Amino acid sequence: MALRRFDLEAGGDSFSFKPETEEKVAFWRAKYPADKQRSAVIPMLWLAQKDNNGWLSEPAMREVADRLEMPYIRVYEVATFYTMFRLQPVGKFHIQLCGTTPCQLRGAEGLKEVCTREIGKQMYVTDDKRLSWEEVECLGACVNAPMVQINDDYYEDLTPETLSQIIGRLRNGVELTPGPQIDRVNSAPEGGNITLTEPALFDGSRNSVSVLPNLPEPPPAPEPPPEPEPTPEATGQPDKSAPTNTDREEPSSKDIKE
Amino acid sequence: MSDTFKLNIDGQEIEVPKHYTLMQACEEAGAEIPRFCYHERLSVAGNCRMCLVEWQGAPKPIASCAQIVGDMRPNQDGSAPIVRTAGPYVEKARNGVMEFLLINHPLDCPICDQGGECDLQDQAVAYGRSSSRFEENKRAVEDKYMGPLVKTIMTRCIQCTRCVRFAAEVAGVEEMGMISRGENAEITTYLEKALTSELSGNVIDLCPVGALTSKPYAFNARPWELRKTSSIDVMDAMGAAIRIDAKGDAVMRILPELNEEVNEEWLSDKSRFVWDGLGRQRLDRPYIRENGKLRAATWGEAFEAVKAALAVNPDKVGVVAGDLIEVEQAKAALDLFRSLGVKNTDCRPAGAGYGTSGVREHYILNPTLMGVEEADALLLIGTNPRVEAAVWNARIRKAWLWGDLKVGVIGEAVDLTYPYEHLGTSAADLDKLASSDFYKILKDAKRPMIVVGERALCREDCLKLSQTVLKLSQDVGAVVDGWAGFGVLHTAAGRVGALDVGFVPAEGGLSTADILGGGLSTVVLLGADEVDLSKLGNAKVIYVGSHGDAGASRADIVLPSAAYTEMTATYVNTEGRVQMTTRATQPKGEAREGWAIFRALSAVCGKPLPYDTADQLRALLRGQEGEHTVFSGRGYAPGARGVSALSQPVPDVSGAFSSAPLATPVVDFYLTNPIARASKTMAECSALASRLDTPVAAE
């Protein structure tokens, strides 16, 4: 981790929360008593970062300090302590690439090469201001390693090819689907379920209480229904199947369309 | 449940109060515990881990500074817990801690100003390994700018955070902090702005390594080369205990010494860094003005010239004593001029209306500086203690922070580093006080304290003001048995001492404003530079002082005297505490101690004074055996002894308050006296302070 310092030049002189953010500011501040308002410093900094194109400028930090009546140095300490507060400008799409052991073992090194090749050095913002990337510590999606976080969404089960494709789409403003980029639902097995496939588990037939302990006379157990053929949901061929997470809310797609 | 707890420390059974930390308990038992981050006057951080001790049965070594004794439990058999502060287990633990501390420490002791008085150096010798096992690269940290006083070499920092805690807790300016984390952690001020505290120099003393050192003293001397002299500071009226470190003829630095009752262990920046002013602008020989220019003269010539100037009607002679006058000089000068029939003598600023009643309690700080820690309500009238007595201001803050002191202010609404109720800006607001909420707080307080700035007693309405405040003190119960809650906060180190020897106009004599108002033929200035000299007209001016400042430039005859580091002299602080400075270096050139100048002059004038040595003079001040005078005791403040004098009925004074706002006399904290004005360091600080008009913190 390199030295973290405010980019004072890019930060300008002033910052103000967007009008629609004020509600959230009020929400967080309302959680704490009047004399303990400084407890809201982390969510407030987070909102300020969101309102400042994904990074925390010095005026933005001061705005938070002024609102919470905290000395600037105390807020500065918090802002520099947490690496998720970025003190330098980032692109419209900021890629946080997980480089911790599970992802590394599953090929994060290759993803880093892709980012370096297609974007540049870490924290470098492309000329069109659309892209930047940095390596971060574990994002907690090890089961879908390797993965990246782009703005608020996880893109998982990546290969250098799929990441390169994603970067290309971000650059060109093409819609993206977050989540696993291979044929699997969230962290379910690749190519469909291989356990818990019995329909009886899901049709409610096993829900009736069979035996209550210590009852004087146990009622007779019901007949088990015949076992049906397993019907896999996924085909195991990612290119040929439709995405399985289409009903998911996609906050990033709006960004891409504009 | 008893309030004490039994411990077995190094085989010794000891019983200590439950709120003690294990470190305090170990020290009670006589053991020495090494530490870096722990400091008696700061909150406990527990991050250096140097104070590890063994608690038998505990799975790990215990950081003794953060372990409260009351939280420990006895052994299974009910016997006192066994703690060891030495032995292989403890040694190994501390050795390991020391090894980690030294991993990123540059070990540049040969070029480090802390060398020779460095906690890390000393403790590395005691607990460290003989050599390093660390083969990787050490980290390096950028140096930070912290203003003209504090030099930083941040690679040496071991992140004890003493400086951060000092700034936040004692100085009350939250400007220092530790940013980033882990290996990248750095101590800095916010965006490397200069510290805005008047106490910032104390972080140099607090720093256990050489990360924060004195900028003006950088590379000037090694501690073992310095001659150390315990003395008293005269930059303000507190009389802080200091140690003057001198090499040869020069004062190399000034450090605070412990005086729990006055300065605890802090020192203001002016007192600490003024020493370069002692070597500049000095008057090192007598001068006589001839044809409009001062020319160097011998003492003999100068005395003859003074004799001639004094050979006029004594009513046409006036004497004004300045802020830094020592008791001996005041006494000798007063004796001489009284014997010459001069009545026009004064040591107070122009317009002063105090000090003539003969009641000492009316012009000293009766509740004492330490008394503010006992007080539960404090009313400050026309004073800004932050610039008038910076170290005392930190004590007020301490009383507010750790106690429940409530503060009210009538005067300028300035940042005092603690919250207060602002009750008005002019003396007329005293009339409204009785109907305010703060009056009720004062009235309900067990130990109310009312402090008037000296300058508030130097106004047209000062008699009315002092009468009102005295009456208020009696009304709210500030003057009761065992508690004299009324006090005056002075800004000049010499004032109380000069008042104590009676350096006020004699019956029918003129006061400062009139002496300086023109019309006299001869005016003698005893280091008086803080007064308005513009109206002196054609008067012949004799200046006795140590520095070429306002007074010397107007003078016709200049007699050089010793500065406070160059003489053993008596000063009385604002509490009425009699203290003595010690000579650390010789007076510059032909300069002499003030009293000796007047003793010699008295012989020239044919009225020899009845003492030939300073000891004889001081014996005279002390009075006869068994006689009690102000000077018969040394080092204590009279405090509550003043109750009977203060509880006398106060005569009514008619008239109204002037509407002029109450202001502090300290316009520029760093430039209040000739020594400070001669100091380059102080000039730099002053220039910086005047530029810092944008507040750094939200609080």
Side-chain angles (χ1 to χ4, degrees):
Chain A
M1 191 171 63
L3 283 179
R4 289 158 47 75
R5 296 273 194 276
F6 278 123
D7 187 334
L8 294 171
E9 211 172 295
D13 299 325
S14 63
F15 165 85
S16 54
F17 283 105
K18 290 177 182 165
E20 61 266 31
T21 315
E22 293 295 345
E23 201 183 322
K24 291 180 191 162
V25 170
F27 168 80
W28 284 106
R29 294 191 61 174
K31 289 192 167 210
Y32 306 102
D35 58 333
K36 300 207 163 52
Q37 283 287 298
R38 53 175 60 191
S39 298
V41 65
I42 290 178
M44 288 278 283
L45 284 172
W46 189 246
L47 292 174
Q49 172 161 299
K50 289 236 170 203
D51 277 7
N52 195 54
N53 304 321
W55 72 288
L56 192 65
S57 65
E58 198 261 343
M61 192 219 77
R62 269 191 284 131
E63 170 74 17
V64 172
D66 287 341
R67 288 204 180 203
L68 301 178
E69 292 179 5
M70 287 174 77
Y72 296 155
I73 184 74
R74 295 282 97 87
V75 186
Y76 188 40
E77 284 176 330
V78 174
T80 54
F81 186 93
Y82 295 103
T83 52
M84 279 171 79
F85 293 123
R86 295 181 283 268
L87 309 183
Q88 289 164 32
V90 293
K92 184 174 171 62
F93 300 101
H94 183 64
I95 301 173
Q96 298 179 70
L97 191 151
C98 175
T100 308
T101 317
C103 281
Q104 192 191 21
L105 292 173
R106 297 273 292 151
E109 298 285 340
L111 303 187
K112 267 195 255 179
E113 272 169 39
V114 170
C115 286
T116 314
R117 191 175 66 235
E118 308 223 348
I119 300 172
K121 283 191 299 186
Q122 287 198 48
M123 293 309 283
Y124 170 79
V125 184
T126 53
D127 291 343
D128 58 4
K129 305 269 183 274
R130 290 186 75 82
L131 292 168
S132 61
W133 77 282
E134 70 178 319
E135 182 182 338
V136 297
E137 298 306 324
C138 186
L139 289 170
C142 312
V143 73
N144 294 60
M147 56 80 66
V148 300
Q149 181 183 349
I150 301 174
N151 292 353
D152 290 341
D153 292 303
Y154 279 11
Y155 293 80
E156 299 152 323
D157 300 307
L158 297 170
T159 60
E161 292 71 37
T162 45
L163 181 61
S164 172
Q165 219 169 37
I166 287 172
I167 291 173
R169 287 182 178 192
L170 290 173
R171 181 168 277 141
N172 297 318
V174 181
E175 198 170 345
L176 275 174
T177 311
Q181 301 299 310
I182 56 171
D183 178 38
R184 78 196 275 194
V185 179
N186 299 338
S187 55
E190 197 174 337
N193 295 344
I194 53 173
T195 56
L196 302 176
T197 50
E198 288 174 45
L201 289 170
F202 311 104
D203 62 9
S205 54
R206 288 208 186 172
N207 283 0
S208 57
V209 176
S210 51
V211 181
L212 283 177
N214 304 330
L215 282 180
E217 276 182 27
E223 283 285 308
E227 205 170 287
E229 286 291 305
T231 48
E233 285 175 4
T235 61
Q237 290 168 312
D239 293 336
K240 288 174 188 168
S241 70
T244 50
N245 55 351
T246 44
D247 57 346
R248 197 176 168 286
E249 214 181 303
E250 291 163 21
S252 70
S253 55
K254 263 186 257 153
D255 289 339
I256 298 165
K257 272 173 200 158
E258 61 177 65
Chain B
M1 286 276 284
S2 85
D3 291 335
T4 57
F5 191 78
K6 271 209 181 86
L7 284 160
N8 183 329
I9 296 173
D10 293 335
Q12 184 191 342
E13 191 102 339
I14 182 170
E15 198 163 340
V16 294
K18 276 193 167 163
H19 65 267
Y20 265 36
T21 63
L22 186 52
M23 180 187 268
Q24 285 173 306
C26 291
E27 288 186 332
E28 196 90 326
E32 192 182 315
I33 310 289
R35 85 285 305 266
F36 293 112
C37 71
Y38 177 81
H39 192 276
E40 292 85 348
R41 288 172 216 279
L42 303 173
S43 62
V44 172
N47 53 12
C48 79
R49 317 310 287 181
M50 197 59 207
C51 61
L52 294 175
V53 297
E54 178 184 3
W55 172 12
Q56 190 174 305
K60 291 187 287 184
I62 304 291
S64 59
C65 72
Q67 177 68 49
I68 302 294
V69 167
D71 293 343
M72 296 174 74
R73 38 162 207 216
N75 294 331
Q76 277 183 334
D77 61 1
S79 60
I82 296 165
V83 174
R84 288 187 207 95
T85 65
Y89 182 84
V90 173
E91 260 165 45
K92 187 177 174 216
R94 290 182 189 164
N95 184 286
V97 169
M98 181 54 80
E99 189 172 11
F100 273 115
L101 285 175
L102 292 180
I103 272 184
N104 276 319
H105 192 78
L107 303 179
D108 55 351
C109 306
I111 57 153
C112 177
D113 263 335
Q114 192 87 353
E117 50 184 6
C118 175
D119 289 356
L120 188 64
Q121 211 175 26
D122 295 348
Q123 291 178 33
V125 171
Y127 302 100
R129 296 170 55 85
S130 56
S131 61
S132 173
R133 293 187 292 187
F134 188 67
E135 288 173 4
E136 289 77 8
N137 290 328
K138 291 189 180 226
R139 77 161 191 162
V141 184
E142 286 168 22
D143 293 344
K144 308 289 187 298
Y145 174 75
M146 287 192 189
L149 303 176
V150 182
K151 182 184 169 183
T152 64
I153 302 97
M154 296 317 288
T155 305
R156 295 179 189 147
C157 178
I158 57 169
Q159 274 88 39
C160 70
T161 69
R162 272 187 189 181
C163 51
V164 176
R165 283 174 283 148
F166 174 84
E169 292 164 18
V170 180
V173 291
E174 295 210 47
E175 292 170 5
M176 290 186 86
M178 185 158 78
I179 60 161
S180 294
R181 58 172 159 161
E183 202 199 19
N184 298 299
E186 295 178 16
I187 301 289
T188 184
T189 52
Y190 182 65
L191 299 183
E192 298 196 35
K193 289 201 173 79
L195 286 164
T196 60
S197 172
E198 294 77 21
L199 300 170
S200 65
N202 292 298
V203 298
I204 298 166
D205 289 345
L206 284 171
C207 185
V209 297
L212 306 178
T213 56
S214 167
K215 214 176 234 180
Y217 169 73
F219 308 128
N220 271 359
R222 283 298 195 183
W224 55 86
E225 306 172 325
L226 298 169
R227 203 170 58 245
K228 300 159 183 85
T229 315
S230 293
S231 190
I232 295 300
D233 171 59
V234 301
M235 291 300 119
D236 53 36
M238 286 182 65
I242 55 169
R243 193 183 90 192
I244 302 165
D245 284 7
K247 189 162 94 172
D249 229 13
V251 175
M252 303 306 288
R253 62 173 178 177
I254 293 171
L255 298 174
E257 276 195 347
L258 191 72
N259 187 345
E260 207 59 65
E261 294 179 18
V262 178
N263 58 322
E264 299 173 82
E265 61 184 76
W266 316 125
L267 196 58
S268 79
D269 287 351
K270 185 165 47 174
S271 309
R272 183 189 295 265
F273 293 105
V274 78
W275 49 266
D276 68 325
L278 292 164
R280 288 201 179 84
Q281 293 281 330
R282 288 306 299 270
L283 301 172
D284 54 356
R285 55 193 307 181
Y287 288 89
I288 298 175
R289 192 175 294 274
E290 273 176 7
N291 305 324
K293 275 185 126 176
L294 285 172
R295 72 157 175 93
T298 64
W299 274 106
E301 283 176 287
F303 278 150
E304 286 307 322
V306 173
K307 188 184 171 188
L310 293 176
V312 291
N313 178 359
D315 287 343
K316 288 286 181 189
V317 177
V319 188
V320 176
D323 286 357
L324 303 182
I325 192 164
E326 71 277 17
V327 169
E328 285 84 351
Q329 183 181 175
K331 170 75 175 157
L334 190 70
D335 285 354
L336 171 63
F337 287 108
R338 283 283 189 272
S339 74
L340 294 172
V342 176
K343 289 188 233 159
N344 312 326
T345 52
D346 205 350
C347 69
R348 302 163 302 167
Y354 64 92
T356 45
S357 63
V359 184
R360 190 178 191 230
E361 285 71 18
H362 286 176
Y363 62 79
I364 64 171
L365 191 77
N366 299 292
T368 74
L369 297 167
M370 194 154 90
V372 74
E373 289 181 39
E374 278 175 62
D376 39 7
L378 169 66
L379 176 61
L380 298 167
I381 301 166
T383 176
N384 173 0
R386 186 167 176 189
V387 290
E388 293 177 23
V391 176
W392 188 52
N393 196 55
R395 205 194 277 257
I396 302 176
R397 182 179 155 83
K398 178 175 154 192
W400 163 77
L401 191 64
W402 304 113
D404 51 2
L405 180 72
K406 291 185 182 65
V407 186
V409 170
I410 298 181
E412 283 175 279
V414 290
D415 177 12
L416 292 177
T417 72
Y418 41 84
Y420 56 82
E421 198 168 324
H422 191 232
L423 303 159
T425 51
S426 75
D429 290 306
L430 275 169
D431 289 335
K432 286 184 248 157
L433 183 68
S435 56
S436 70
D437 291 343
F438 196 79
Y439 186 81
K440 203 173 166 322
I441 293 173
L442 277 175
K443 189 102 183 143
D444 293 345
K446 281 204 202 82
R447 292 249 185 275
M449 184 165 170
I450 298 174
V451 175
V452 186
E454 183 233 16
R455 202 48 60 104
L457 301 175
C458 301
R459 301 151 45 96
E460 278 169 47
D461 55 359
C462 56
L463 286 176
K464 168 92 173 158
L465 192 139
S466 61
Q467 172 259 339
T468 310
V469 176
L470 269 171
K471 202 142 177 37
L472 172 74
S473 310
Q474 293 174 356
D475 289 350
V476 299
V479 183
V480 291
D481 210 21
W483 178 252
F486 166 83
V488 178
L489 183 65
H490 285 266
T491 53
R495 191 94 73 232
V496 176
L499 288 167
D500 284 345
V501 299
F503 209 103
V504 285
E507 192 76 34
L510 303 176
S511 67
T512 303
D514 297 324
I515 295 170
L516 299 174
L520 297 187
S521 10
T522 304
V523 173
V524 185
L525 302 174
L526 308 180
D529 296 287
E530 263 59 54
V531 287
D532 179 13
L533 301 173
S534 60
K535 297 195 208 102
L536 280 170
N538 291 328
K540 215 158 177 71
V541 175
I542 300 161
Y543 181 80
V544 185
S546 59
H547 281 69
D549 203 72
S553 62
R554 171 62 184 82
D556 298 294
I557 305 163
V558 172
L559 303 178
S561 66
Y564 73 107
T565 52
E566 296 154 9
M567 59 186 169
T568 299
T570 310
Y571 280 95
V572 186
N573 83 349
T574 188
E575 306 164 282
R577 187 189 301 270
V578 180
Q579 303 187 107
M580 290 198 70
T581 61
T582 315
R583 171 181 286 190
T585 58
Q586 293 297 322
K588 286 276 179 291
E590 292 174 26
R592 293 289 179 271
E593 292 188 18
W595 76 270
I597 294 171
F598 289 101
R599 174 64 186 81
L601 182 62
S602 71
V604 174
C605 293
K607 302 263 186 185
L609 294 170
Y611 29 80
D612 296 328
T613 64
D615 282 341
Q616 285 175 3
L617 168 54
R618 283 192 278 270
L620 203 69
L621 285 169
R622 276 199 298 276
Q624 301 294 322
E625 191 88 17
E627 186 189 349
H628 180 80
T629 70
V630 168
F631 298 99
S632 42
R634 249 174 63 182
Y636 70 87
R641 287 186 189 85
V643 170
S644 60
L646 287 174
S647 46
Q648 298 299 321
V650 187
D652 268 335
V653 176
S654 57
F657 285 120
S658 109
S659 58
L662 292 160
T664 173
V666 182
V667 181
D668 188 334
F669 169 75
Y670 297 102
L671 303 176
T672 52
N673 61 53
I675 308 178
R677 281 191 291 269
S679 158
K680 271 172 110 172
T681 315
M682 290 298 105
E684 215 175 316
C685 290
S686 163
L688 187 76
S690 59
R691 262 188 284 129
L692 284 175
D693 44 1
T694 40
V696 178
E699 273 188 352

